[in-house]
Protein backbone atom coordinates (compact mmCIF):
# COMPACT_ATOMS: atom_id res chain seq x y z
CA UNK A 1 0.00 0.00 0.00
CA UNK A 2 1.34 3.46 -0.95
CA UNK A 3 2.10 6.09 1.66
CA UNK A 4 -0.50 8.40 0.11
CA UNK A 5 -3.17 5.73 0.59
CA UNK A 6 -2.20 5.24 4.23
CA UNK A 7 -2.39 8.96 4.99
CA UNK A 8 -5.62 9.43 3.05
CA UNK A 9 -7.21 6.78 5.31
CA UNK A 10 -5.70 8.18 8.48
CA UNK A 11 -8.63 10.45 9.56
CA UNK A 12 -11.13 7.62 9.18
CA UNK A 13 -8.90 5.14 10.98
CA UNK A 14 -8.18 7.63 13.75
CA UNK A 15 -11.88 8.25 14.24
CA UNK A 16 -12.50 4.51 14.49
CA UNK A 17 -10.07 4.47 17.39
CA UNK A 18 -11.32 7.64 19.12
CA UNK A 19 -14.99 6.65 19.01
CA UNK A 20 -14.24 3.76 21.38
CA UNK A 21 -13.73 6.46 24.05
CA UNK A 22 -17.21 7.83 23.43
CA UNK A 23 -18.23 7.70 27.11
CA UNK A 24 -14.75 8.23 28.53
CA UNK A 25 -14.86 12.00 28.75
CA UNK A 26 -11.47 12.51 30.40
CA UNK A 27 -9.77 10.59 27.57
CA UNK A 28 -11.67 12.58 24.96
CA UNK A 29 -10.48 15.82 26.58
CA UNK A 30 -6.91 14.52 26.25
CA UNK A 31 -7.49 13.68 22.58
CA UNK A 32 -8.44 17.29 21.89
CA UNK A 33 -4.93 18.38 22.91
CA UNK A 34 -3.03 16.00 20.58
CA UNK A 35 -3.36 17.92 17.31
CA UNK A 36 -5.92 19.56 15.04
CA UNK A 37 -7.05 16.29 13.47
CA UNK A 38 -7.67 14.61 16.81
CA UNK A 39 -9.42 17.73 18.10
CA UNK A 40 -11.72 17.82 15.07
CA UNK A 41 -12.60 14.15 15.56
CA UNK A 42 -13.04 14.20 19.34
CA UNK A 43 -15.07 17.41 19.71
CA UNK A 44 -18.27 15.98 18.12
CA UNK A 45 -18.15 13.02 20.53
CA UNK A 46 -17.74 15.31 23.53
CA UNK A 47 -20.66 17.49 22.45
CA UNK A 48 -23.10 14.68 21.58
CA UNK A 49 -24.54 14.86 25.09
CA UNK A 50 -22.77 17.51 27.23
CA UNK A 51 -25.66 17.54 29.72
CA UNK A 52 -24.66 14.03 30.79
CA UNK A 53 -21.04 14.85 31.66
CA UNK A 54 -20.85 14.91 35.46
CA UNK A 55 -17.78 17.10 36.00
CA UNK A 56 -19.62 19.94 37.78
CA UNK A 57 -18.69 22.25 34.92
CA UNK A 58 -21.71 23.77 33.20
CA UNK A 59 -19.91 26.35 31.09
CA UNK A 60 -21.22 24.64 27.97
CA UNK A 61 -24.58 26.37 28.57
CA UNK A 62 -22.93 29.76 28.12
CA UNK A 63 -21.24 28.45 24.96
CA UNK A 64 -24.62 27.36 23.60
CA UNK A 65 -26.24 30.71 24.47
CA UNK A 66 -23.62 32.55 22.44
CA UNK A 67 -25.61 31.37 19.39
CA UNK A 68 -28.77 33.09 20.63
CA UNK A 69 -30.24 36.01 18.64
CA UNK A 70 -33.47 37.90 18.12
CA UNK A 71 -36.03 38.59 20.83
CA UNK A 72 -34.74 35.93 23.19
CA UNK A 73 -31.26 37.45 23.00
CA UNK A 74 -32.73 40.84 23.87
CA UNK A 75 -34.62 39.36 26.83
CA UNK A 76 -31.44 37.69 28.10
CA UNK A 77 -29.51 40.95 27.81
CA UNK A 78 -32.02 42.60 30.15
CA UNK A 79 -30.70 40.42 32.98
CA UNK A 80 -27.24 42.04 32.61
CA UNK A 81 -25.33 38.83 33.21
CA UNK A 82 -21.56 38.89 33.51
CA UNK A 83 -20.12 38.68 29.99
CA UNK A 84 -17.53 36.18 31.25
CA UNK A 85 -20.25 33.53 31.19
CA UNK A 86 -20.45 33.85 27.41
CA UNK A 87 -17.27 33.18 25.38
CA UNK A 88 -16.34 35.87 22.90
CA UNK A 89 -15.13 33.35 20.35
CA UNK A 90 -15.60 29.63 19.69
CA UNK A 91 -13.84 27.23 17.33
CA UNK A 92 -16.89 25.14 16.41
CA UNK A 93 -20.64 25.44 16.01
CA UNK A 94 -21.20 23.19 19.00
CA UNK A 95 -25.02 22.84 18.89
CA UNK A 96 -24.92 20.88 15.63
CA UNK A 97 -23.11 18.00 17.37
CA UNK A 98 -25.99 17.33 19.79
CA UNK A 99 -27.39 13.76 19.51
CA UNK A 100 -28.99 13.09 22.90
CA UNK A 101 -31.59 15.32 24.52
CA UNK A 102 -32.81 14.58 28.05
CA UNK A 103 -35.31 17.13 29.38
CA UNK A 104 -34.57 16.27 33.00
CA UNK A 105 -30.81 16.68 32.50
CA UNK A 106 -31.29 20.03 30.79
CA UNK A 107 -33.30 21.37 33.73
CA UNK A 108 -30.83 20.11 36.35
CA UNK A 109 -27.92 21.58 34.36
CA UNK A 110 -29.66 24.96 34.19
CA UNK A 111 -30.25 24.78 37.95
CA UNK A 112 -26.54 24.24 38.60
CA UNK A 113 -25.38 26.84 36.06
CA UNK A 114 -27.74 29.43 37.53
CA UNK A 115 -26.35 29.11 41.06
CA UNK A 116 -23.40 31.34 40.22
CA UNK A 117 -25.50 34.04 38.57
CA UNK A 118 -26.56 37.08 40.55
CA UNK A 119 -29.93 38.51 39.53
CA UNK A 120 -30.90 41.77 41.17
CA UNK A 121 -34.63 42.05 41.80
CA UNK A 122 -35.46 39.69 38.95
CA UNK A 123 -37.45 36.47 38.91
CA UNK A 124 -35.14 33.47 39.10
CA UNK A 125 -37.81 30.98 37.89
CA UNK A 126 -38.57 33.21 34.91
CA UNK A 127 -34.84 33.46 34.14
CA UNK A 128 -34.49 29.67 34.18
CA UNK A 129 -37.51 29.36 31.91
CA UNK A 130 -35.89 31.82 29.48
CA UNK A 131 -32.67 29.78 29.42
CA UNK A 132 -34.60 26.56 28.78
CA UNK A 133 -36.60 28.06 25.92
CA UNK A 134 -33.45 29.66 24.50
CA UNK A 135 -31.58 26.35 24.42
CA UNK A 136 -34.42 24.61 22.58
CA UNK A 137 -34.66 27.53 20.18
CA UNK A 138 -30.93 27.24 19.46
CA UNK A 139 -31.18 23.49 18.86
CA UNK A 140 -34.12 23.93 16.50
CA UNK A 141 -32.53 26.78 14.54
CA UNK A 142 -29.31 24.78 14.10
CA UNK A 143 -31.33 21.83 12.77
CA UNK A 144 -29.66 19.40 15.15
CA UNK A 145 -30.03 15.75 14.26
CA UNK A 146 -31.31 14.27 17.53
CA UNK A 147 -30.76 10.54 18.01
CA UNK A 148 -32.42 10.11 21.44
CA UNK A 149 -35.13 12.34 22.92
CA UNK A 150 -36.14 11.73 26.56
CA UNK A 151 -39.24 13.58 27.77
CA UNK A 152 -40.76 13.70 31.24
CA UNK A 153 -44.27 15.07 30.93
CA UNK A 154 -44.46 16.47 34.47
CA UNK A 155 -41.32 18.61 34.29
CA UNK A 156 -41.39 22.43 34.27
CA UNK A 157 -41.75 24.28 30.97
CA UNK A 158 -43.24 21.31 29.09
CA UNK A 159 -45.89 23.59 27.54
CA UNK A 160 -43.16 25.87 26.19
CA UNK A 161 -41.23 22.92 24.79
CA UNK A 162 -44.25 21.34 23.09
CA UNK A 163 -45.27 24.65 21.55
CA UNK A 164 -41.80 25.17 20.08
CA UNK A 165 -41.58 21.63 18.74
CA UNK A 166 -45.03 21.62 17.13
CA UNK A 167 -44.15 24.89 15.42
CA UNK A 168 -41.01 23.20 14.04
CA UNK A 169 -42.05 19.61 13.22
CA UNK A 170 -38.85 18.83 11.29
CA UNK A 171 -37.03 18.78 14.64
CA UNK A 172 -38.53 15.34 15.38
CA UNK A 173 -38.44 13.67 11.99
CA UNK A 174 -35.14 11.83 12.41
CA UNK A 175 -35.41 10.80 16.07
CA UNK A 176 -34.73 7.09 16.36
CA UNK A 177 -35.07 6.61 20.12
CA UNK A 178 -38.01 8.24 21.93
CA UNK A 179 -38.44 7.95 25.71
CA UNK A 180 -41.67 9.15 27.30
CA UNK A 181 -42.32 9.30 31.03
CA UNK A 182 -45.79 10.48 32.06
CA UNK A 183 -45.92 10.14 35.83
CA UNK A 184 -49.15 12.13 35.93
CA UNK A 185 -51.73 11.60 33.23
CA UNK A 186 -51.23 14.27 30.61
CA UNK A 187 -54.47 15.05 28.78
CA UNK A 188 -53.20 17.54 26.23
CA UNK A 189 -53.22 15.91 22.79
CA UNK A 190 -50.07 17.83 21.88
CA UNK A 191 -48.06 14.94 23.34
CA UNK A 192 -49.78 12.56 20.92
CA UNK A 193 -49.10 14.97 18.08
CA UNK A 194 -45.44 15.02 19.02
CA UNK A 195 -45.22 11.22 18.99
CA UNK A 196 -46.75 11.16 15.54
CA UNK A 197 -44.16 13.60 14.19
CA UNK A 198 -41.37 11.07 14.76
CA UNK A 199 -41.04 9.62 11.27
CA UNK A 200 -38.13 7.21 11.70
CA UNK A 201 -38.48 5.71 15.16
CA UNK A 202 -36.55 2.53 15.83
CA UNK A 203 -37.07 2.36 19.59
CA UNK A 204 -39.72 3.73 21.93
CA UNK A 205 -39.73 3.59 25.73
CA UNK A 206 -43.01 4.24 27.52
CA UNK A 207 -43.06 4.70 31.27
CA UNK A 208 -45.30 5.63 34.19
CA UNK A 209 -48.83 5.99 32.89
CA UNK A 210 -51.54 4.60 35.10
CA UNK A 211 -53.78 3.17 32.44
CA UNK A 212 -51.84 3.56 29.19
CA UNK A 213 -54.51 5.65 27.36
CA UNK A 214 -52.23 8.41 26.08
CA UNK A 215 -49.65 6.01 24.67
CA UNK A 216 -52.26 3.66 23.27
CA UNK A 217 -54.14 6.44 21.47
CA UNK A 218 -50.94 7.65 19.84
CA UNK A 219 -49.72 4.23 18.79
CA UNK A 220 -53.08 3.29 17.26
CA UNK A 221 -53.59 6.53 15.35
CA UNK A 222 -53.46 6.54 11.57
CA UNK A 223 -50.69 9.13 11.69
CA UNK A 224 -48.46 6.66 13.49
CA UNK A 225 -48.49 4.04 10.76
CA UNK A 226 -45.33 5.51 9.26
CA UNK A 227 -43.34 3.77 12.03
CA UNK A 228 -44.75 0.35 11.21
CA UNK A 229 -41.71 -0.40 9.05
CA UNK A 230 -39.06 1.20 11.28
CA UNK A 231 -39.96 0.52 14.93
CA UNK A 232 -38.06 -2.56 16.11
CA UNK A 233 -37.83 -2.13 19.92
CA UNK A 234 -40.49 -1.35 22.53
CA UNK A 235 -39.70 -0.89 26.23
CA UNK A 236 -42.68 -0.79 28.62
CA UNK A 237 -41.88 0.37 32.15
CA UNK A 238 -44.25 0.46 35.14
CA UNK A 239 -47.42 0.65 33.08
CA UNK A 240 -50.82 -0.65 34.11
CA UNK A 241 -52.20 -3.03 31.49
CA UNK A 242 -55.15 -4.34 33.47
CA UNK A 243 -57.71 -2.02 31.89
CA UNK A 244 -56.76 -1.88 28.22
CA UNK A 245 -58.16 -3.31 25.03
CA UNK A 246 -56.93 -3.46 21.45
CA UNK A 247 -53.34 -3.88 22.53
CA UNK A 248 -53.02 -6.61 19.92
CA UNK A 249 -53.81 -4.01 17.23
CA UNK A 250 -50.74 -2.01 18.23
CA UNK A 251 -48.38 -4.93 17.77
CA UNK A 252 -50.08 -6.36 14.70
CA UNK A 253 -49.34 -3.17 12.71
CA UNK A 254 -45.58 -3.33 13.44
CA UNK A 255 -43.78 -5.17 10.66
CA UNK A 256 -40.16 -5.16 11.85
CA UNK A 257 -40.53 -5.51 15.62
CA UNK A 258 -37.50 -7.33 17.02
CA UNK A 259 -37.74 -7.03 20.79
CA UNK A 260 -40.23 -6.16 23.53
CA UNK A 261 -39.21 -5.46 27.13
CA UNK A 262 -41.79 -5.56 29.94
CA UNK A 263 -40.27 -3.97 33.05
CA UNK A 264 -42.29 -4.06 36.28
CA UNK A 265 -45.67 -3.55 34.62
CA UNK A 266 -49.03 -4.56 36.06
CA UNK A 267 -50.00 -7.28 33.62
CA UNK A 268 -53.32 -9.01 34.24
CA UNK A 269 -54.71 -12.09 32.54
CA UNK A 270 -56.45 -10.12 29.76
CA UNK A 271 -53.19 -8.45 28.77
CA UNK A 272 -51.37 -11.77 28.61
CA UNK A 273 -54.17 -13.33 26.57
CA UNK A 274 -54.02 -10.50 24.02
CA UNK A 275 -50.29 -11.06 23.67
CA UNK A 276 -50.69 -14.81 23.29
CA UNK A 277 -53.28 -14.31 20.53
CA UNK A 278 -50.93 -12.25 18.35
CA UNK A 279 -50.30 -13.62 14.87
CA UNK A 280 -47.10 -11.64 14.28
CA UNK A 281 -43.87 -12.55 16.13
CA UNK A 282 -43.66 -11.08 19.62
CA UNK A 283 -40.08 -11.39 20.79
CA UNK A 284 -40.27 -10.95 24.54
CA UNK A 285 -36.67 -10.15 25.47
CA UNK A 286 -37.18 -8.85 29.04
CA UNK A 287 -39.62 -9.74 31.79
CA UNK A 288 -39.17 -8.08 35.20
CA UNK A 289 -41.98 -9.03 37.55
CA UNK A 290 -43.53 -7.51 40.63
CA UNK A 291 -43.99 -10.19 43.25
CA UNK A 292 -47.77 -9.62 43.06
CA UNK A 293 -47.78 -10.85 39.45
CA UNK A 294 -47.10 -14.38 40.67
CA UNK A 295 -50.80 -14.57 41.60
CA UNK A 296 -51.53 -15.11 37.88
CA UNK A 297 -48.90 -17.81 37.52
CA UNK A 298 -51.10 -19.91 35.20
CA UNK A 299 -51.27 -17.03 32.69
CA UNK A 300 -47.53 -16.49 33.04
CA UNK A 301 -47.05 -20.14 32.13
CA UNK A 302 -48.88 -19.62 28.84
CA UNK A 303 -46.83 -16.49 28.14
CA UNK A 304 -43.52 -18.25 28.81
CA UNK A 305 -44.57 -21.35 26.92
CA UNK A 306 -45.09 -19.30 23.76
CA UNK A 307 -42.34 -16.68 24.08
CA UNK A 308 -39.84 -18.14 26.56
CA UNK A 309 -37.28 -18.96 23.87
CA UNK A 310 -36.82 -15.22 23.24
CA UNK A 311 -36.41 -14.24 26.90
CA UNK A 312 -32.93 -12.91 27.73
CA UNK A 313 -33.49 -10.70 30.80
CA UNK A 314 -35.42 -11.83 33.87
CA UNK A 315 -35.87 -10.29 37.32
CA UNK A 316 -38.17 -11.13 40.19
CA UNK A 317 -38.47 -10.94 43.97
CA UNK A 318 -39.19 -14.16 45.82
CA UNK A 319 -40.51 -14.65 49.33
CA UNK A 320 -43.65 -12.48 49.27
CA UNK A 321 -46.04 -15.07 47.79
CA UNK A 322 -47.01 -18.64 48.49
CA UNK A 323 -44.16 -21.09 48.07
CA UNK A 324 -46.15 -23.14 45.55
CA UNK A 325 -46.71 -20.12 43.25
CA UNK A 326 -43.04 -19.15 43.34
CA UNK A 327 -41.85 -22.69 42.72
CA UNK A 328 -44.29 -23.01 39.83
CA UNK A 329 -42.94 -19.86 38.20
CA UNK A 330 -39.35 -21.07 38.57
CA UNK A 331 -40.30 -24.43 37.05
CA UNK A 332 -41.77 -22.60 34.05
CA UNK A 333 -38.68 -20.40 33.68
CA UNK A 334 -36.42 -23.45 33.83
CA UNK A 335 -38.58 -25.37 31.36
CA UNK A 336 -39.25 -22.69 28.74
CA UNK A 337 -36.44 -20.10 29.06
CA UNK A 338 -33.04 -21.48 28.09
CA UNK A 339 -31.45 -18.29 26.75
CA UNK A 340 -31.38 -15.98 29.77
CA UNK A 341 -28.37 -13.65 29.87
CA UNK A 342 -29.43 -11.20 32.59
CA UNK A 343 -30.70 -12.63 35.88
CA UNK A 344 -31.62 -10.45 38.85
CA UNK A 345 -32.90 -12.38 41.87
CA UNK A 346 -34.07 -10.95 45.18
CA UNK A 347 -34.93 -13.30 48.05
CA UNK A 348 -36.76 -12.21 51.18
CA UNK A 349 -35.31 -14.66 53.69
CA UNK A 350 -36.92 -17.79 52.26
CA UNK A 351 -34.65 -20.80 52.56
CA UNK A 352 -37.12 -23.10 50.82
CA UNK A 353 -36.93 -21.18 47.54
CA UNK A 354 -33.15 -20.70 47.32
CA UNK A 355 -32.40 -24.19 46.00
CA UNK A 356 -34.89 -23.71 43.17
CA UNK A 357 -33.03 -20.52 42.28
CA UNK A 358 -29.78 -22.49 42.20
CA UNK A 359 -31.43 -24.85 39.70
CA UNK A 360 -32.39 -21.88 37.55
CA UNK A 361 -28.82 -20.54 37.54
CA UNK A 362 -27.48 -23.97 36.64
CA UNK A 363 -30.01 -24.28 33.82
CA UNK A 364 -29.13 -20.99 32.08
CA UNK A 365 -25.41 -20.70 32.82
CA UNK A 366 -24.33 -21.46 29.25
CA UNK A 367 -25.73 -18.04 28.23
CA UNK A 368 -25.61 -16.16 31.53
CA UNK A 369 -23.41 -13.06 31.64
CA UNK A 370 -25.09 -10.85 34.26
CA UNK A 371 -26.11 -12.18 37.68
CA UNK A 372 -27.37 -10.25 40.72
CA UNK A 373 -28.41 -11.90 43.98
CA UNK A 374 -29.88 -9.81 46.78
CA UNK A 375 -30.70 -11.50 50.11
CA UNK A 376 -32.57 -9.43 52.66
CA UNK A 377 -35.25 -9.53 55.33
CA UNK A 378 -38.08 -7.08 55.94
CA UNK A 379 -37.42 -7.13 59.67
CA UNK A 380 -33.64 -6.79 59.92
CA UNK A 381 -30.25 -8.08 58.77
CA UNK A 382 -29.64 -10.83 61.30
CA UNK A 383 -32.28 -13.15 59.86
CA UNK A 384 -30.49 -13.30 56.51
CA UNK A 385 -27.26 -14.85 57.81
CA UNK A 386 -28.24 -18.48 57.21
CA UNK A 387 -29.55 -17.84 53.71
CA UNK A 388 -26.42 -15.87 52.82
CA UNK A 389 -24.27 -18.78 54.04
CA UNK A 390 -26.19 -21.24 51.90
CA UNK A 391 -25.75 -18.95 48.89
CA UNK A 392 -21.97 -18.66 49.35
CA UNK A 393 -21.58 -22.40 49.95
CA UNK A 394 -23.42 -23.36 46.74
CA UNK A 395 -23.08 -20.53 44.23
CA UNK A 396 -19.38 -20.80 43.31
CA UNK A 397 -19.63 -24.15 41.55
CA UNK A 398 -22.73 -23.05 39.60
CA UNK A 399 -21.13 -20.07 37.84
CA UNK A 400 -20.22 -20.18 34.14
CA UNK A 401 -16.61 -19.84 33.01
CA UNK A 402 -17.12 -16.14 32.25
CA UNK A 403 -19.40 -13.44 33.63
CA UNK A 404 -19.65 -9.82 32.64
CA UNK A 405 -21.23 -8.84 35.94
CA UNK A 406 -21.72 -10.50 39.34
CA UNK A 407 -23.32 -8.61 42.22
CA UNK A 408 -23.88 -10.19 45.64
CA UNK A 409 -25.78 -8.39 48.40
CA UNK A 410 -25.54 -10.66 51.43
CA UNK A 411 -25.08 -10.80 55.18
CA UNK A 412 -21.63 -12.39 55.35
CA UNK A 413 -20.93 -13.50 58.89
CA UNK A 414 -18.69 -16.54 58.49
CA UNK A 415 -15.38 -16.11 56.71
CA UNK A 416 -15.23 -19.81 55.77
CA UNK A 417 -18.36 -19.35 53.63
CA UNK A 418 -16.73 -16.53 51.70
CA UNK A 419 -13.53 -18.52 51.20
CA UNK A 420 -15.56 -21.50 49.96
CA UNK A 421 -17.29 -19.30 47.38
CA UNK A 422 -13.96 -17.98 46.09
CA UNK A 423 -12.43 -21.47 45.95
CA UNK A 424 -15.39 -22.94 44.08
CA UNK A 425 -15.47 -20.11 41.54
CA UNK A 426 -11.74 -20.13 40.72
CA UNK A 427 -12.39 -21.13 37.12
CA UNK A 428 -14.71 -18.18 36.48
CA UNK A 429 -13.48 -14.89 35.03
CA UNK A 430 -15.67 -12.00 36.24
CA UNK A 431 -15.33 -8.67 34.48
CA UNK A 432 -17.21 -6.71 37.19
CA UNK A 433 -17.47 -8.13 40.71
CA UNK A 434 -19.52 -6.32 43.35
CA UNK A 435 -19.96 -7.42 46.94
CA UNK A 436 -22.16 -5.67 49.47
CA UNK A 437 -22.06 -6.97 53.04
CA UNK A 438 -25.24 -5.95 54.88
CA UNK A 439 -24.02 -6.73 58.40
CA UNK A 440 -24.80 -4.20 61.10
CA UNK A 441 -21.79 -1.97 61.63
CA UNK A 442 -21.52 -2.45 65.41
CA UNK A 443 -21.92 -6.24 65.26
CA UNK A 444 -19.09 -7.62 67.47
CA UNK A 445 -18.43 -10.43 65.00
CA UNK A 446 -18.30 -8.08 62.05
CA UNK A 447 -14.67 -7.85 61.05
CA UNK A 448 -13.36 -4.99 59.02
CA UNK A 449 -13.80 -5.34 55.26
CA UNK A 450 -10.17 -4.37 54.76
CA UNK A 451 -8.76 -7.57 56.30
CA UNK A 452 -11.79 -9.89 56.14
CA UNK A 453 -12.59 -9.82 52.43
CA UNK A 454 -9.31 -8.68 50.97
CA UNK A 455 -7.08 -11.42 52.33
CA UNK A 456 -9.15 -14.00 50.46
CA UNK A 457 -9.71 -11.87 47.37
CA UNK A 458 -5.99 -11.26 47.03
CA UNK A 459 -5.30 -14.98 47.36
CA UNK A 460 -7.99 -16.36 45.08
CA UNK A 461 -8.73 -13.52 42.66
CA UNK A 462 -6.17 -10.73 42.55
CA UNK A 463 -3.04 -12.81 42.02
CA UNK A 464 -4.83 -14.92 39.43
CA UNK A 465 -6.19 -11.82 37.65
CA UNK A 466 -9.72 -13.22 37.62
CA UNK A 467 -11.53 -9.90 37.58
CA UNK A 468 -11.19 -6.55 35.83
CA UNK A 469 -13.29 -4.26 38.04
CA UNK A 470 -13.98 -4.68 41.76
CA UNK A 471 -16.25 -2.91 44.23
CA UNK A 472 -16.80 -3.90 47.86
CA UNK A 473 -18.85 -2.08 50.46
CA UNK A 474 -19.40 -3.05 54.09
CA UNK A 475 -22.25 -1.05 55.58
CA UNK A 476 -20.84 2.42 54.75
CA UNK A 477 -17.15 1.58 54.24
CA UNK A 478 -16.18 1.44 50.58
CA UNK A 479 -13.01 -0.37 49.48
CA UNK A 480 -12.36 2.55 47.12
CA UNK A 481 -11.43 4.66 50.15
CA UNK A 482 -8.37 2.44 50.88
CA UNK A 483 -5.89 4.12 48.54
CA UNK A 484 -3.03 1.69 49.19
CA UNK A 485 -5.25 -1.25 48.27
CA UNK A 486 -6.40 0.52 45.13
CA UNK A 487 -2.79 0.92 44.02
CA UNK A 488 -1.94 -2.70 44.85
CA UNK A 489 -4.78 -4.04 42.74
CA UNK A 490 -3.77 -1.77 39.87
CA UNK A 491 -0.46 -3.66 39.73
CA UNK A 492 -2.51 -6.69 38.67
CA UNK A 493 -4.57 -4.67 36.15
CA UNK A 494 -7.60 -4.71 38.44
CA UNK A 495 -9.45 -1.42 38.89
CA UNK A 496 -11.14 -0.72 42.23
CA UNK A 497 -14.23 1.45 41.76
CA UNK A 498 -16.79 3.07 44.00
CA UNK A 499 -19.63 0.68 44.64
CA UNK A 500 -22.25 3.23 43.62
CA UNK A 501 -20.48 3.79 40.28
CA UNK A 502 -20.21 0.12 39.38
CA UNK A 503 -23.60 -1.16 40.54
CA UNK A 504 -26.45 -1.42 38.07
CA UNK A 505 -29.00 0.56 40.05
CA UNK A 506 -31.78 0.83 37.53
CA UNK A 507 -32.83 -2.21 35.54
CA UNK A 508 -34.56 0.01 33.01
CA UNK A 509 -31.28 1.77 32.31
CA UNK A 510 -29.57 -1.59 31.81
CA UNK A 511 -32.15 -2.66 29.24
CA UNK A 512 -31.88 0.65 27.39
CA UNK A 513 -28.09 0.34 27.23
CA UNK A 514 -28.40 -3.33 26.28
CA UNK A 515 -30.66 -2.36 23.38
CA UNK A 516 -28.65 0.69 22.31
CA UNK A 517 -27.83 0.91 18.62
Amino acid sequence: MSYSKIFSDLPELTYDVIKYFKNDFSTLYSCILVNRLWCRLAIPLLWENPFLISNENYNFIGIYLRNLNGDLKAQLNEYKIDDKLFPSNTLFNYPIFLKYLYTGKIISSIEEWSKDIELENRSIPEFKRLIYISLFKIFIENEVNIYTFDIKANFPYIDDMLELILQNPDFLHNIRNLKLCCINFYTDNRMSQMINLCQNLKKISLAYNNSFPLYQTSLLSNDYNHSSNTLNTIILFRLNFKVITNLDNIFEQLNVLESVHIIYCILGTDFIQQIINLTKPFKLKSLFLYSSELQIVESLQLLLQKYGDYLENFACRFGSNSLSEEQQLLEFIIKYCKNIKFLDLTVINNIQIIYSLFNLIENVKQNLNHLSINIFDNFGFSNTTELSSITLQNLGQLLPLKLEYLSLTLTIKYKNDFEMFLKNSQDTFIKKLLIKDRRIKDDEECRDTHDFFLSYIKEYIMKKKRIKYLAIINFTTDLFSFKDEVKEFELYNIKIQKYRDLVVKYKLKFVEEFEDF
Side-chain angles (χ1 to χ4, degrees), residues 64 105 179 267 289 317 341 383 392 394 421 429 438 460 468 491 508:
Y64 275 148
K105 291 291 185 181
K179 303 178 183 181
L267 304 182
L289 295 174
R317 173 181 292 189
K341 300 178 180 179
N383 296 328
L392 290 172
N394 291 271
F421 165 73
F429 176 82
R438 305 181 77 241
Y460 294 106
K468 188 172 182 180
L491 298 176
L508 174 62

Side-chain angles (χ1 to χ4, degrees), residues 267-276 287 293-307 328-329 332 336:
L267 304 182
T269 55
D270 290 342
F271 166 81
I272 292 177
Q273 192 59 52
Q274 290 181 60
I275 296 301
I276 292 173
L287 182 62
E293 298 303 319
L294 272 64
Q295 298 172 10
I296 55 170
V297 67
E298 291 83 3
S299 295
L300 289 173
Q301 178 187 8
L302 298 176
L303 181 70
L304 296 172
Q305 186 175 359
K306 186 168 183 179
Y307 301 115
Q328 273 187 294
L329 175 63
F332 300 148
Y336 301 120

Side-chain angles (χ1 to χ4, degrees), residues 22-23 25 28-29 42-55 57-58 60 64 94-106 108-109 139 145-150 179 509 516:
K22 180 176 180 179
N23 296 317
F25 301 117
L28 287 175
Y29 278 121
I43 282 291
L45 295 175
L46 268 174
W47 284 82
E48 281 187 354
N49 189 9
F51 297 96
L52 196 62
I53 303 177
S54 57
N55 59 1
N57 185 343
Y58 299 92
F60 63 88
Y64 275 148
Y94 295 102
I96 66 172
F97 301 131
L98 190 68
K99 300 295 182 185
Y100 303 86
L101 204 52
Y102 298 85
T103 55
K105 291 291 185 181
I106 295 176
S108 61
S109 297
F139 299 149
N145 187 17
I146 299 298
Y147 169 86
T148 295
F149 195 15
D150 186 317
K179 303 178 183 181
K509 182 179 179 181
D516 211 358

Side-chain angles (χ1 to χ4, degrees), residues 80-94:
K80 299 180 180 180
I81 303 174
D82 190 342
D83 289 339
K84 294 180 180 179
L85 294 172
F86 307 105
S88 59
N89 190 24
T90 56
L91 296 176
F92 299 90
N93 181 19
Y94 295 102

Side-chain angles (χ1 to χ4, degrees), residues 358-370:
F358 292 154
N359 291 336
L360 172 58
I361 295 171
E362 175 72 26
N363 186 65
V364 301
K365 74 176 186 179
Q366 68 261 16
N367 294 305
L368 190 65
N369 59 32
H370 180 121

Side-chain angles (χ1 to χ4, degrees), residues 107-122:
I107 291 175
S108 61
S109 297
I110 293 174
E111 290 283 343
E112 294 298 324
W113 180 75
S114 302
K115 288 180 179 179
D116 297 328
I117 298 177
E118 296 183 3
L119 301 177
E120 297 182 1
N121 300 322
R122 302 299 295 269

